[in-house]
Amino acid sequence: MKQKIESLISNVNSFIAENADHAEQLRLKYLGKKGILNDLFVEFKNVPAEQRKEVGLLLNDLKNNVQDKVNTLKEKFEQGKSENKKESIDLSLPVDYKVLGTRHPISIVRNEIVSIFSKIGFVVSEGPEIENDWHNFSALNFPPEHPARDMQDTFFIEKNPDIALRTHTSSVQVRVMEGSKPPIRTISPGRVFRNEAISARAHCIFHQVEGLYIDKDVSFADLKQTLLYFAKEMFGEKTQIRLRPSYFPFTEPSAEMDVSCNICGGKGCNVCKYTGWLEILGCGMVDPNVLENCGIDSKEYTGFAFGMGVERITMLKYSVKDLRLYFENDLRFLNQFESAY
Ligand code: PHE
C-alpha cells in the first residue's frame, strides 16, 4: 500500500492540466465521493498496526498534494482568463528561438588557413580582383606566349587586353613586393577567375590563399617545414606530406604538394583514387627574375611561395563531392557547417 500511495503522489505532482476542466477532473478522481482517497481510507483499516503511522502520514500527504495541486491549477486558469481579457503578455514564456546562420564552408576554411599561418607570423594582404597584365602575368615571369594568358583561361576586359580578372592571387604578392622591403611574410586570400566550363570539379570563380616569405637565407627546407606545419594543423597531427617536382613560371625549383589521404589515412580509398595521397597546393622558391621585377635584390634575398585552392581543401576536409554546391546557396547544404572560425 505504501508503494501504491507513493506512486499516486508522484502522478499527482507531475499532472499537467490544459484547462480548468482538467483540474476539476483531477479533484473528482481523488477527492470525489467515489474517488481514490475514499477507497484508500477503506483499505487503510486493514493495515497492520505497526505500519499505520507511516501509511497514515503518506495518505495525508497524498490528500494535501491533490488539494494543493487543484487549487494552484484553478487559480492559474482563473488568472489566465482575466489576463486574456486584458490581452496582456506572459513575460515568463520562453522567447522564440532565433536561428542563427552558419558561415559558408569556404569562409570557414579560408579563415582557418589564415589563422594557421598567422600563428607563425604571416600577415594578410589583399589586392584588386581586376588586374593588369603586369601584376597578374609579366612581373611573375610569364613569357608573352604563355598559354595561361590565352583567352581560354583568362577573362579579359573587352577591348583592353591589358586588363583582366586575376587568375591567381600571386598578383597581390607582386604588389606587396613592390610596395615593401623584406623581410616579407604574407598570405593573400581572395577570389580568382578562370575561363573554365563549370562542372563538379571545376568552376570559373574560386578562392585561393597564396603565401610568400622573403628574407635573407630562406631555403627550400624552410618551405617544406612551413608546409608540413600547415598540413598537420589543417588535416591532423598524423598527416604526412610529399613534394613532387613541378613547373610554375614564377618559382624555381617548383613543386606540387600532396598530403596523406585524411579519409583512409593513406591506405587507399576512392577519394585518393587508391594512391593514399591528395594533391593540395603548388609551391617553390621565388624565381630571381620575379624578385628583380619587383625591385628586390635577388643576390641578397631569397624566398618561397605557395598557393592553394580553398574549394579543394574544403572538399577534402568535409568530403564535398561537387564544387557547384558552394555556389547554390542551398540551405540543406549550408546548414551542415558550424565552426569556431
Ligand atoms: N599561382 C599558382 C596557381 O594559381 C599557385 C602557386 C603559387 C604555385 C605560388 C607556386 C607558388 O596555380
Side-chain angles (χ1 to χ4, degrees):
M1 184 157 178
K2 201 178 128 200
Q3 269 173 5
K4 192 157 120 194
I5 303 174
E6 275 167 351
S7 91
L8 286 169
I9 291 180
S10 90
N11 282 352
V12 170
N13 290 344
S14 57
F15 180 81
I16 297 170
E18 267 156 29
N19 50 41
D21 281 352
H22 287 169
E24 177 60 11
Q25 277 162 26
L26 178 73
R27 193 187 67 80
L28 287 173
K29 183 172 165 196
Y30 282 87
L31 307 174
K33 270 213 178 83
K34 291 183 183 151
I36 292 176
L37 269 152
N38 273 349
D39 290 349
L40 287 172
F41 278 114
V42 173
E43 216 178 300
F44 183 64
K45 289 180 187 135
N46 305 327
V47 172
E50 67 275 16
Q51 288 179 20
R52 284 196 153 232
K53 192 172 170 206
E54 201 185 354
V55 177
L57 284 172
L58 271 177
L59 260 180
N60 274 338
D61 277 352
L62 176 60
K63 195 174 158 192
N64 293 338
N65 275 15
V66 177
Q67 198 62 62
D68 289 350
K69 182 94 184 185
V70 170
N71 288 346
T72 38
L73 285 175
K74 286 196 168 167
E75 219 168 274
K76 183 175 131 190
F77 292 122
E78 274 307 304
Q79 221 175 37
K81 249 196 237 162
S82 55
E83 274 177 11
N84 268 350
K85 272 184 220 136
K86 280 187 264 154
E87 285 185 68
S88 63
I89 334 159
D90 182 354
L91 291 174
S92 66
L93 277 178
V95 288
D96 269 353
Y97 169 62
K98 276 251 178 323
V99 184
L100 283 181
T102 53
R103 270 192 210 291
H104 193 281
I106 296 297
S107 304
I108 296 174
V109 172
R110 171 205 180 276
N111 293 352
E112 193 173 352
I113 298 171
V114 169
S115 139
I116 291 172
F117 282 107
S118 46
K119 280 188 210 154
I120 51 170
F122 283 78
V123 293
V124 170
S125 43
E126 285 177 339
E129 292 181 345
I130 301 171
E131 262 300 2
N132 53 22
D133 180 278
W134 172 256
H135 289 103
N136 197 75
F137 295 125
S138 296
L140 288 161
N141 212 26
F142 277 84
E145 68 288 351
H146 195 282
R149 291 170 179 248
D150 202 286
M151 295 298 276
Q152 264 144 43
D153 280 308
T154 310
F155 288 112
F156 287 97
I157 303 298
E158 217 175 330
K159 297 202 188 104
N160 188 351
D162 188 46
I163 308 289
L165 298 180
R166 68 181 177 197
T167 58
H168 49 190
T169 57
S170 303
S171 55
V172 181
Q173 308 187 334
V174 173
R175 287 177 178 276
V176 173
M177 286 190 277
E178 284 175 339
S180 49
K181 287 201 169 72
I184 293 171
R185 202 158 17 171
T186 186
I187 42 171
S188 0
R191 222 160 33 147
V192 300
F193 309 84
R194 288 184 200 174
N195 196 353
E196 293 200 30
I198 297 170
S199 72
R201 301 179 61 88
H203 209 289
C204 57
I205 304 175
F206 57 99
H207 300 77
Q208 282 191 326
V209 178
E210 295 216 354
L212 176 73
Y213 180 30
I214 298 173
D215 204 349
K216 288 177 180 151
D217 300 324
V218 174
S219 72
F220 201 91
D222 297 322
L223 168 64
K224 210 172 143 183
Q225 202 56 35
T226 304
L227 294 179
L228 177 63
Y229 155 77
F230 166 72
K232 284 176 181 283
E233 288 284 309
M234 192 60 170
F235 295 106
E237 185 50 35
K238 292 212 178 80
T239 309
Q240 293 178 301
I241 61 167
R242 160 173 105 166
L243 291 164
R244 284 177 288 103
S246 183
Y247 172 77
F248 300 101
F250 35 89
T251 46
E252 183 60 37
S254 306
E256 267 165 334
M257 187 177 96
D258 300 338
V259 289
S260 50
C261 179
N262 63 324
I263 308 286
C264 64
K267 284 189 205 79
C269 66
N270 61 355
V271 175
C272 62
K273 305 212 181 71
Y274 299 95
T275 62
W277 296 96
L278 301 161
E279 183 195 320
I280 63 158
L281 57 81
C283 60
M285 301 306 291
V286 181
D287 192 303
N289 287 343
V290 175
L291 295 176
E292 296 293 335
N293 284 341
C294 301
I296 292 172
D297 185 351
S298 64
K299 292 197 186 62
E300 200 180 349
Y301 293 104
T302 51
F304 66 69
F306 56 86
M308 65 189 93
V310 182
E311 277 76 359
R312 169 115 185 116
I313 310 268
T314 312
M315 277 182 127
L316 299 176
K317 214 174 149 87
Y318 293 108
S319 306
V320 178
K321 300 262 154 45
D322 192 326
L323 264 180
R324 290 166 292 195
L325 286 166
Y326 297 133
F327 293 88
E328 283 167 358
N329 282 338
D330 185 332
L331 285 178
R332 289 168 302 177
F333 173 69
L334 297 174
N335 276 338
Q336 298 174 69
F337 299 90
E338 266 180 79
S339 160
Y341 287 98

